[in-house]
Amino acid sequence: DIVMTQSPDSLAVSLGERATINCKSSQSVLKSSDNNNYLVWYQQKPGQPPQLLIYWASTRASGVPDRFSGSGSGTDFTLTISSLQAEDVAVYYCQQDYATPLTFGGGTKVEIK
Amino acid sequence: EVQLVESGGGLVQPGGSLRLSCGASGFTFRNYWMLWVRQAPGKGLVWVSRINGDGSFTTYADSVKGRFTISRDNAKNTLYLQMNSLRVEDTAIYYCAQSTGGGLGDYWGQGTLVTVSS
C-alpha cells in the first residue's frame, strides 16, 4: 500500500499570511502514461464532508479560489494557501489515486493565529 | 447540481448487518464511478470501496473485503453498501462520493453514521 504522510499535524497562521502543508508518498504517484501525478487535496470544514480542492497535484477543482495552489511531483507535494482567510479554517487531506487501495494522509488542521 | 444523500446508518450490535444507500441526482449516474469512504469519530478519511459505472468492476479495502459488498442500481440512481459481520471498528460516518476517474471524490454526500456497539 502507498503510505501518505502529511506534515505538520496542525498549524496556526495569521489572517492574510501563507499556509503551507506537505504531503509525502511512500512511492511515486507519477503515472508515466500521461505524465500526471495522481495526488489529490481535500478540504474538510467542521461538521461537513470533504470537498475536492486540487487534483493531478496542481489542478484546481471548479470554483476553488486561486489562493489555493498545489505543487510537487513524484513523492513530495505541497498545498499552499497564499493568503489565509477565516473561511479556510479546516482540516486538509492529501490522497493518492494512483493505485488501490486509495490512501489518505492523516490530515493537517489549519487554524487562525 | 450534484446531490448525494446517504441513508441507512444507525446502531447495530457486533456481528450484525446494515445496508447503506446513496441516492444520486443532478448528473448521469451510470456514467460515473462511485466511492464509499468512512471516517471514524475524530479521525481521518479511509477509503472503503469503489464501483465502476455499470457495476462490473469493484474493489475493496482489505479491512472490509469479504464482509462488505458495494453495488448500484442505475435505474434507481442509487449506490449501496451491504455491510455484514460488523465490528466495533467499523463505527464511522460513511460517505458516498461521485468519482470521474474512479480514484478521487469529486462530490460527496453529507454522510450517514454507523455505530457498532453492544
Side-chain angles (χ1 to χ4, degrees), chain A residues 34-76:
Chain A
D34 60 10
N35 206 37
N36 284 317
N37 287 281
Y38 281 70
L39 189 284
V40 185
W41 289 98
Y42 301 96
Q43 175 193 64
Q44 187 176 31
K45 296 181 180 180
Q48 294 186 20
Q51 179 182 343
L52 177 64
L53 283 180
I54 286 171
Y55 59 95
W56 290 341
S58 60
T59 302
R60 274 188 299 275
S62 175
V64 174
D66 61 7
R67 64 180 180 273
F68 291 93
S69 64
S71 63
S73 184
T75 61
D76 291 280

mmCIF file of all heavy atoms in Angstrom, chain A residues 34-76:
data_model
loop_
_atom_site.group_PDB
_atom_site.id
_atom_site.type_symbol
_atom_site.label_atom_id
_atom_site.label_comp_id
_atom_site.label_asym_id
_atom_site.label_seq_id
_atom_site.Cartn_x
_atom_site.Cartn_y
_atom_site.Cartn_z
ATOM 1 N N ASP A 34 0.583 9.234 -18.763
ATOM 2 C CA ASP A 34 0.017 10.556 -19.038
ATOM 3 C C ASP A 34 0.791 11.695 -18.373
ATOM 4 O O ASP A 34 0.396 12.857 -18.474
ATOM 5 C CB ASP A 34 -1.466 10.623 -18.639
ATOM 6 C CG ASP A 34 -1.705 10.348 -17.158
ATOM 7 O OD1 ASP A 34 -0.725 10.293 -16.388
ATOM 8 O OD2 ASP A 34 -2.882 10.176 -16.777
ATOM 9 N N ASN A 35 1.858 11.355 -17.672
ATOM 10 C CA ASN A 35 2.715 12.341 -17.001
ATOM 11 C C ASN A 35 1.953 13.161 -15.955
ATOM 12 O O ASN A 35 2.269 14.333 -15.715
ATOM 13 C CB ASN A 35 3.391 13.273 -18.014
ATOM 14 C CG ASN A 35 4.692 13.848 -17.483
ATOM 15 O OD1 ASN A 35 5.450 13.174 -16.786
ATOM 16 N ND2 ASN A 35 4.953 15.112 -17.793
ATOM 17 N N ASN A 36 0.943 12.564 -15.365
ATOM 18 C CA ASN A 36 0.210 13.231 -14.290
ATOM 19 C C ASN A 36 0.558 12.599 -12.950
ATOM 20 O O ASN A 36 0.750 11.389 -12.849
ATOM 21 C CB ASN A 36 -1.307 13.133 -14.493
ATOM 22 C CG ASN A 36 -1.803 14.083 -15.553
ATOM 23 O OD1 ASN A 36 -1.397 15.241 -15.611
ATOM 24 N ND2 ASN A 36 -2.707 13.616 -16.399
ATOM 25 N N ASN A 37 0.628 13.460 -11.938
ATOM 26 C CA ASN A 37 0.770 12.983 -10.572
ATOM 27 C C ASN A 37 -0.622 12.755 -9.994
ATOM 28 O O ASN A 37 -1.443 13.687 -9.944
ATOM 29 C CB ASN A 37 1.514 14.017 -9.720
ATOM 30 C CG ASN A 37 2.979 14.071 -10.044
ATOM 31 O OD1 ASN A 37 3.753 13.231 -9.608
ATOM 32 N ND2 ASN A 37 3.372 15.068 -10.831
ATOM 33 N N TYR A 38 -0.881 11.538 -9.549
ATOM 34 C CA TYR A 38 -2.212 11.182 -9.073
ATOM 35 C C TYR A 38 -2.309 11.486 -7.570
ATOM 36 O O TYR A 38 -2.376 10.587 -6.724
ATOM 37 C CB TYR A 38 -2.538 9.734 -9.433
ATOM 38 C CG TYR A 38 -2.962 9.636 -10.873
ATOM 39 C CD1 TYR A 38 -2.054 9.834 -11.908
ATOM 40 C CD2 TYR A 38 -4.292 9.405 -11.211
ATOM 41 C CE1 TYR A 38 -2.447 9.809 -13.229
ATOM 42 C CE2 TYR A 38 -4.699 9.360 -12.530
ATOM 43 C CZ TYR A 38 -3.766 9.576 -13.539
ATOM 44 O OH TYR A 38 -4.161 9.546 -14.855
ATOM 45 N N LEU A 39 -2.324 12.787 -7.312
ATOM 46 C CA LEU A 39 -2.319 13.303 -5.949
ATOM 47 C C LEU A 39 -3.433 14.339 -5.836
ATOM 48 O O LEU A 39 -3.540 15.258 -6.665
ATOM 49 C CB LEU A 39 -0.956 13.927 -5.625
ATOM 50 C CG LEU A 39 -0.622 14.356 -4.197
ATOM 51 C CD1 LEU A 39 -1.301 15.664 -3.793
ATOM 52 C CD2 LEU A 39 -0.927 13.266 -3.187
ATOM 53 N N VAL A 40 -4.255 14.160 -4.821
ATOM 54 C CA VAL A 40 -5.469 14.965 -4.631
ATOM 55 C C VAL A 40 -5.401 15.657 -3.269
ATOM 56 O O VAL A 40 -4.839 15.109 -2.310
ATOM 57 C CB VAL A 40 -6.705 14.050 -4.676
ATOM 58 C CG1 VAL A 40 -7.988 14.860 -4.606
ATOM 59 C CG2 VAL A 40 -6.699 13.176 -5.918
ATOM 60 N N TRP A 41 -5.965 16.843 -3.203
ATOM 61 C CA TRP A 41 -6.120 17.560 -1.930
ATOM 62 C C TRP A 41 -7.601 17.841 -1.672
ATOM 63 O O TRP A 41 -8.325 18.239 -2.585
ATOM 64 C CB TRP A 41 -5.374 18.900 -1.953
ATOM 65 C CG TRP A 41 -3.888 18.791 -1.928
ATOM 66 C CD1 TRP A 41 -3.032 18.860 -2.995
ATOM 67 C CD2 TRP A 41 -3.055 18.620 -0.777
ATOM 68 N NE1 TRP A 41 -1.732 18.747 -2.571
ATOM 69 C CE2 TRP A 41 -1.712 18.591 -1.211
ATOM 70 C CE3 TRP A 41 -3.310 18.487 0.589
ATOM 71 C CZ2 TRP A 41 -0.629 18.446 -0.336
ATOM 72 C CZ3 TRP A 41 -2.242 18.342 1.464
ATOM 73 C CH2 TRP A 41 -0.921 18.318 1.002
ATOM 74 N N TYR A 42 -8.014 17.625 -0.425
ATOM 75 C CA TYR A 42 -9.368 17.934 0.014
ATOM 76 C C TYR A 42 -9.326 18.888 1.195
ATOM 77 O O TYR A 42 -8.375 18.884 1.973
ATOM 78 C CB TYR A 42 -10.108 16.676 0.486
ATOM 79 C CG TYR A 42 -10.259 15.581 -0.535
ATOM 80 C CD1 TYR A 42 -9.362 14.520 -0.567
ATOM 81 C CD2 TYR A 42 -11.301 15.579 -1.450
ATOM 82 C CE1 TYR A 42 -9.496 13.500 -1.487
ATOM 83 C CE2 TYR A 42 -11.445 14.557 -2.373
ATOM 84 C CZ TYR A 42 -10.532 13.524 -2.379
ATOM 85 O OH TYR A 42 -10.674 12.509 -3.303
ATOM 86 N N GLN A 43 -10.415 19.624 1.331
ATOM 87 C CA GLN A 43 -10.645 20.473 2.496
ATOM 88 C C GLN A 43 -11.875 19.930 3.225
ATOM 89 O O GLN A 43 -12.897 19.654 2.582
ATOM 90 C CB GLN A 43 -10.913 21.909 2.041
ATOM 91 C CG GLN A 43 -11.279 22.875 3.144
ATOM 92 C CD GLN A 43 -11.823 24.179 2.577
ATOM 93 O OE1 GLN A 43 -12.871 24.224 1.938
ATOM 94 N NE2 GLN A 43 -11.086 25.256 2.792
ATOM 95 N N GLN A 44 -11.776 19.785 4.530
ATOM 96 C CA GLN A 44 -12.933 19.364 5.305
ATOM 97 C C GLN A 44 -13.160 20.343 6.451
ATOM 98 O O GLN A 44 -12.370 20.394 7.402
ATOM 99 C CB GLN A 44 -12.784 17.946 5.847
ATOM 100 C CG GLN A 44 -14.060 17.442 6.519
ATOM 101 C CD GLN A 44 -13.978 16.001 6.998
ATOM 102 O OE1 GLN A 44 -12.920 15.521 7.374
ATOM 103 N NE2 GLN A 44 -15.112 15.305 6.974
ATOM 104 N N LYS A 45 -14.231 21.095 6.349
ATOM 105 C CA LYS A 45 -14.598 22.021 7.414
ATOM 106 C C LYS A 45 -15.370 21.274 8.494
ATOM 107 O O LYS A 45 -15.964 20.224 8.217
ATOM 108 C CB LYS A 45 -15.423 23.173 6.843
ATOM 109 C CG LYS A 45 -14.643 24.031 5.860
ATOM 110 C CD LYS A 45 -15.470 25.175 5.317
ATOM 111 C CE LYS A 45 -14.643 26.001 4.343
ATOM 112 N NZ LYS A 45 -15.410 27.140 3.780
ATOM 113 N N PRO A 46 -15.379 21.800 9.726
ATOM 114 C CA PRO A 46 -16.037 21.099 10.834
ATOM 115 C C PRO A 46 -17.490 20.757 10.522
ATOM 116 O O PRO A 46 -18.263 21.612 10.070
ATOM 117 C CB PRO A 46 -15.929 22.108 11.982
ATOM 118 C CG PRO A 46 -14.715 22.914 11.657
ATOM 119 C CD PRO A 46 -14.692 23.029 10.171
ATOM 120 N N GLY A 47 -17.840 19.491 10.738
ATOM 121 C CA GLY A 47 -19.211 19.050 10.549
ATOM 122 C C GLY A 47 -19.643 18.891 9.111
ATOM 123 O O GLY A 47 -20.832 18.672 8.838
ATOM 124 N N GLN A 48 -18.701 18.992 8.194
ATOM 125 C CA GLN A 48 -19.039 18.895 6.769
ATOM 126 C C GLN A 48 -18.268 17.747 6.104
ATOM 127 O O GLN A 48 -17.253 17.294 6.631
ATOM 128 C CB GLN A 48 -18.706 20.204 6.053
ATOM 129 C CG GLN A 48 -19.548 21.380 6.511
ATOM 130 C CD GLN A 48 -19.288 22.619 5.669
ATOM 131 O OE1 GLN A 48 -18.778 22.536 4.544
ATOM 132 N NE2 GLN A 48 -19.650 23.776 6.213
ATOM 133 N N PRO A 49 -18.758 17.291 4.936
ATOM 134 C CA PRO A 49 -17.979 16.294 4.193
ATOM 135 C C PRO A 49 -16.763 16.941 3.544
ATOM 136 O O PRO A 49 -16.687 18.179 3.447
ATOM 137 C CB PRO A 49 -18.974 15.810 3.131
ATOM 138 C CG PRO A 49 -19.878 16.980 2.917
ATOM 139 C CD PRO A 49 -20.002 17.651 4.254
ATOM 140 N N PRO A 50 -15.823 16.137 3.104
ATOM 141 C CA PRO A 50 -14.678 16.693 2.371
ATOM 142 C C PRO A 50 -15.122 17.365 1.067
ATOM 143 O O PRO A 50 -16.150 17.002 0.480
ATOM 144 C CB PRO A 50 -13.811 15.457 2.079
ATOM 145 C CG PRO A 50 -14.237 14.447 3.080
ATOM 146 C CD PRO A 50 -15.698 14.691 3.303
ATOM 147 N N GLN A 51 -14.325 18.317 0.647
ATOM 148 C CA GLN A 51 -14.567 18.999 -0.618
ATOM 149 C C GLN A 51 -13.279 18.936 -1.434
ATOM 150 O O GLN A 51 -12.194 19.227 -0.911
ATOM 151 C CB GLN A 51 -14.958 20.462 -0.379
ATOM 152 C CG GLN A 51 -15.194 21.253 -1.644
ATOM 153 C CD GLN A 51 -15.542 22.713 -1.372
ATOM 154 O OE1 GLN A 51 -15.910 23.076 -0.253
ATOM 155 N NE2 GLN A 51 -15.447 23.542 -2.384
ATOM 156 N N LEU A 52 -13.412 18.554 -2.698
ATOM 157 C CA LEU A 52 -12.255 18.460 -3.572
ATOM 158 C C LEU A 52 -11.672 19.845 -3.831
ATOM 159 O O LEU A 52 -12.391 20.768 -4.223
ATOM 160 C CB LEU A 52 -12.664 17.810 -4.893
ATOM 161 C CG LEU A 52 -11.582 17.691 -5.964
ATOM 162 C CD1 LEU A 52 -10.460 16.763 -5.500
ATOM 163 C CD2 LEU A 52 -12.191 17.188 -7.271
ATOM 164 N N LEU A 53 -10.371 19.985 -3.601
ATOM 165 C CA LEU A 53 -9.670 21.242 -3.878
ATOM 166 C C LEU A 53 -8.824 21.144 -5.140
ATOM 167 O O LEU A 53 -8.909 21.993 -6.022
ATOM 168 C CB LEU A 53 -8.733 21.594 -2.715
ATOM 169 C CG LEU A 53 -9.283 22.166 -1.427
ATOM 170 C CD1 LEU A 53 -8.129 22.417 -0.466
ATOM 171 C CD2 LEU A 53 -10.078 23.433 -1.662
ATOM 172 N N ILE A 54 -7.974 20.139 -5.178
ATOM 173 C CA ILE A 54 -6.957 20.037 -6.230
ATOM 174 C C ILE A 54 -6.801 18.584 -6.624
ATOM 175 O O ILE A 54 -6.831 17.687 -5.773
ATOM 176 C CB ILE A 54 -5.617 20.612 -5.706
ATOM 177 C CG1 ILE A 54 -5.716 22.137 -5.657
ATOM 178 C CG2 ILE A 54 -4.435 20.170 -6.565
ATOM 179 C CD1 ILE A 54 -4.565 22.813 -4.966
ATOM 180 N N TYR A 55 -6.662 18.332 -7.929
ATOM 181 C CA TYR A 55 -6.343 17.004 -8.424
ATOM 182 C C TYR A 55 -5.143 17.111 -9.365
ATOM 183 O O TYR A 55 -4.740 18.222 -9.747
ATOM 184 C CB TYR A 55 -7.555 16.364 -9.108
ATOM 185 C CG TYR A 55 -8.098 17.136 -10.290
ATOM 186 C CD1 TYR A 55 -7.705 16.835 -11.588
ATOM 187 C CD2 TYR A 55 -9.014 18.165 -10.105
ATOM 188 C CE1 TYR A 55 -8.196 17.542 -12.664
ATOM 189 C CE2 TYR A 55 -9.515 18.886 -11.176
ATOM 190 C CZ TYR A 55 -9.106 18.570 -12.459
ATOM 191 O OH TYR A 55 -9.596 19.275 -13.543
ATOM 192 N N TRP A 56 -4.594 15.944 -9.728
ATOM 193 C CA TRP A 56 -3.349 15.916 -10.515
ATOM 194 C C TRP A 56 -2.293 16.820 -9.904
ATOM 195 O O TRP A 56 -1.529 17.478 -10.611
ATOM 196 C CB TRP A 56 -3.603 16.281 -11.984
ATOM 197 C CG TRP A 56 -4.353 15.242 -12.762
ATOM 198 C CD1 TRP A 56 -4.501 13.920 -12.442
ATOM 199 C CD2 TRP A 56 -5.056 15.440 -13.983
ATOM 200 N NE1 TRP A 56 -5.267 13.294 -13.386
ATOM 201 C CE2 TRP A 56 -5.618 14.177 -14.344
ATOM 202 C CE3 TRP A 56 -5.265 16.533 -14.817
ATOM 203 C CZ2 TRP A 56 -6.368 14.009 -15.500
ATOM 204 C CZ3 TRP A 56 -6.015 16.357 -15.966
ATOM 205 C CH2 TRP A 56 -6.557 15.116 -16.301
ATOM 206 N N ALA A 57 -2.285 16.894 -8.603
ATOM 207 C CA ALA A 57 -1.295 17.611 -7.790
ATOM 208 C C ALA A 57 -1.373 19.133 -7.863
ATOM 209 O O ALA A 57 -1.007 19.821 -6.897
ATOM 210 C CB ALA A 57 0.132 17.176 -8.155
ATOM 211 N N SER A 58 -1.853 19.671 -8.992
ATOM 212 C CA SER A 58 -1.785 21.129 -9.138
ATOM 213 C C SER A 58 -2.976 21.745 -9.875
ATOM 214 O O SER A 58 -2.984 22.969 -10.078
ATOM 215 C CB SER A 58 -0.503 21.519 -9.877
ATOM 216 O OG SER A 58 -0.476 20.943 -11.168
ATOM 217 N N THR A 59 -3.967 20.955 -10.265
ATOM 218 C CA THR A 59 -5.129 21.474 -10.981
ATOM 219 C C THR A 59 -6.252 21.760 -10.003
ATOM 220 O O THR A 59 -6.752 20.850 -9.345
ATOM 221 C CB THR A 59 -5.595 20.469 -12.046
ATOM 222 O OG1 THR A 59 -4.534 20.204 -12.963
ATOM 223 C CG2 THR A 59 -6.793 21.030 -12.806
ATOM 224 N N ARG A 60 -6.637 23.024 -9.911
ATOM 225 C CA ARG A 60 -7.731 23.392 -9.015
ATOM 226 C C ARG A 60 -9.065 22.867 -9.523
ATOM 227 O O ARG A 60 -9.363 22.958 -10.725
ATOM 228 C CB ARG A 60 -7.821 24.913 -8.854
ATOM 229 C CG ARG A 60 -6.925 25.486 -7.760
ATOM 230 C CD ARG A 60 -7.235 26.967 -7.542
ATOM 231 N NE ARG A 60 -6.984 27.739 -8.761
ATOM 232 C CZ ARG A 60 -5.805 28.215 -9.113
ATOM 233 N NH1 ARG A 60 -4.754 28.001 -8.340
ATOM 234 N NH2 ARG A 60 -5.675 28.897 -10.233
ATOM 235 N N ALA A 61 -9.874 22.353 -8.615
ATOM 236 C CA ALA A 61 -11.226 21.936 -8.971
ATOM 237 C C ALA A 61 -12.085 23.174 -9.245
ATOM 238 O O ALA A 61 -11.744 24.297 -8.845
ATOM 239 C CB ALA A 61 -11.822 21.103 -7.848
ATOM 240 N N SER A 62 -13.191 22.949 -9.916
ATOM 241 C CA SER A 62 -14.087 24.037 -10.283
ATOM 242 C C SER A 62 -14.532 24.814 -9.043
ATOM 243 O O SER A 62 -14.940 24.222 -8.035
ATOM 244 C CB SER A 62 -15.309 23.472 -11.008
ATOM 245 O OG SER A 62 -16.245 24.476 -11.287
ATOM 246 N N GLY A 63 -14.430 26.151 -9.125
ATOM 247 C CA GLY A 63 -14.914 27.004 -8.052
ATOM 248 C C GLY A 63 -13.953 27.215 -6.905
ATOM 249 O O GLY A 63 -14.265 27.964 -5.976
ATOM 250 N N VAL A 64 -12.801 26.593 -6.935
ATOM 251 C CA VAL A 64 -11.820 26.735 -5.851
ATOM 252 C C VAL A 64 -11.053 28.050 -6.026
ATOM 253 O O VAL A 64 -10.517 28.302 -7.106
ATOM 254 C CB VAL A 64 -10.853 25.536 -5.827
ATOM 255 C CG1 VAL A 64 -9.742 25.759 -4.806
ATOM 256 C CG2 VAL A 64 -11.623 24.254 -5.518
ATOM 257 N N PRO A 65 -10.992 28.868 -4.987
ATOM 258 C CA PRO A 65 -10.294 30.165 -5.114
ATOM 259 C C PRO A 65 -8.825 29.988 -5.476
ATOM 260 O O PRO A 65 -8.185 28.999 -5.068
ATOM 261 C CB PRO A 65 -10.436 30.767 -3.704
ATOM 262 C CG PRO A 65 -11.604 30.081 -3.100
ATOM 263 C CD PRO A 65 -11.625 28.707 -3.668
ATOM 264 N N ASP A 66 -8.288 30.973 -6.192
ATOM 265 C CA ASP A 66 -6.912 30.823 -6.676
ATOM 266 C C ASP A 66 -5.860 31.055 -5.596
ATOM 267 O O ASP A 66 -4.657 30.943 -5.865
ATOM 268 C CB ASP A 66 -6.651 31.699 -7.899
ATOM 269 C CG ASP A 66 -6.841 33.178 -7.617
ATOM 270 O OD1 ASP A 66 -7.044 33.552 -6.449
ATOM 271 O OD2 ASP A 66 -6.792 33.970 -8.587
ATOM 272 N N ARG A 67 -6.284 31.340 -4.366
ATOM 273 C CA ARG A 67 -5.303 31.394 -3.272
ATOM 274 C C ARG A 67 -4.831 29.994 -2.878
ATOM 275 O O ARG A 67 -3.843 29.845 -2.166
ATOM 276 C CB ARG A 67 -5.861 32.127 -2.054
ATOM 277 C CG ARG A 67 -7.045 31.466 -1.380
ATOM 278 C CD ARG A 67 -7.501 32.303 -0.172
ATOM 279 N NE ARG A 67 -8.633 31.710 0.516
ATOM 280 C CZ ARG A 67 -9.896 31.943 0.172
ATOM 281 N NH1 ARG A 67 -10.168 32.762 -0.836
ATOM 282 N NH2 ARG A 67 -10.894 31.368 0.849
ATOM 283 N N PHE A 68 -5.556 28.967 -3.343
ATOM 284 C CA PHE A 68 -5.150 27.586 -3.111
ATOM 285 C C PHE A 68 -4.326 27.120 -4.316
ATOM 286 O O PHE A 68 -4.773 27.221 -5.461
ATOM 287 C CB PHE A 68 -6.367 26.665 -2.952
ATOM 288 C CG PHE A 68 -7.151 26.903 -1.697
ATOM 289 C CD1 PHE A 68 -8.236 27.771 -1.698
ATOM 290 C CD2 PHE A 68 -6.815 26.258 -0.519
ATOM 291 C CE1 PHE A 68 -8.964 27.992 -0.540
ATOM 292 C CE2 PHE A 68 -7.532 26.467 0.640
ATOM 293 C CZ PHE A 68 -8.606 27.341 0.633
ATOM 294 N N SER A 69 -3.150 26.578 -4.035
ATOM 295 C CA SER A 69 -2.344 26.031 -5.110
ATOM 296 C C SER A 69 -1.632 24.771 -4.643
ATOM 297 O O SER A 69 -1.309 24.622 -3.462
ATOM 298 C CB SER A 69 -1.319 27.060 -5.605
ATOM 299 O OG SER A 69 -0.401 27.379 -4.584
ATOM 300 N N GLY A 70 -1.420 23.882 -5.591
ATOM 301 C CA GLY A 70 -0.721 22.640 -5.302
ATOM 302 C C GLY A 70 0.508 22.529 -6.178
ATOM 303 O O GLY A 70 0.523 22.999 -7.317
ATOM 304 N N SER A 71 1.530 21.903 -5.612
ATOM 305 C CA SER A 71 2.768 21.715 -6.359
ATOM 306 C C SER A 71 3.421 20.405 -5.945
ATOM 307 O O SER A 71 2.992 19.762 -4.985
ATOM 308 C CB SER A 71 3.725 22.886 -6.116
ATOM 309 O OG SER A 71 4.088 22.947 -4.745
ATOM 310 N N GLY A 72 4.463 20.044 -6.687
ATOM 311 C CA GLY A 72 5.221 18.847 -6.370
ATOM 312 C C GLY A 72 5.091 17.790 -7.450
ATOM 313 O O GLY A 72 4.247 17.879 -8.342
ATOM 314 N N SER A 73 5.938 16.773 -7.329
ATOM 315 C CA SER A 73 5.926 15.678 -8.291
ATOM 316 C C SER A 73 6.601 14.458 -7.680
ATOM 317 O O SER A 73 7.472 14.598 -6.817
ATOM 318 C CB SER A 73 6.649 16.090 -9.579
ATOM 319 O OG SER A 73 6.564 15.060 -10.557
ATOM 320 N N GLY A 74 6.187 13.305 -8.161
ATOM 321 C CA GLY A 74 6.821 12.072 -7.698
ATOM 322 C C GLY A 74 6.317 11.636 -6.334
ATOM 323 O O GLY A 74 5.293 10.959 -6.237
ATOM 324 N N THR A 75 7.042 12.036 -5.300
ATOM 325 C CA THR A 75 6.670 11.633 -3.937
ATOM 326 C C THR A 75 6.462 12.801 -2.976
ATOM 327 O O THR A 75 6.029 12.581 -1.833
ATOM 328 C CB THR A 75 7.747 10.710 -3.327
ATOM 329 O OG1 THR A 75 8.979 11.431 -3.256
ATOM 330 C CG2 THR A 75 7.939 9.443 -4.149
ATOM 331 N N ASP A 76 6.773 14.006 -3.389
ATOM 332 C CA ASP A 76 6.708 15.149 -2.475
ATOM 333 C C ASP A 76 5.806 16.248 -3.031
ATOM 334 O O ASP A 76 6.044 16.745 -4.144
ATOM 335 C CB ASP A 76 8.109 15.707 -2.217
ATOM 336 C CG ASP A 76 8.956 14.734 -1.406
ATOM 337 O OD1 ASP A 76 8.779 14.713 -0.166
ATOM 338 O OD2 ASP A 76 9.755 13.994 -2.012
#
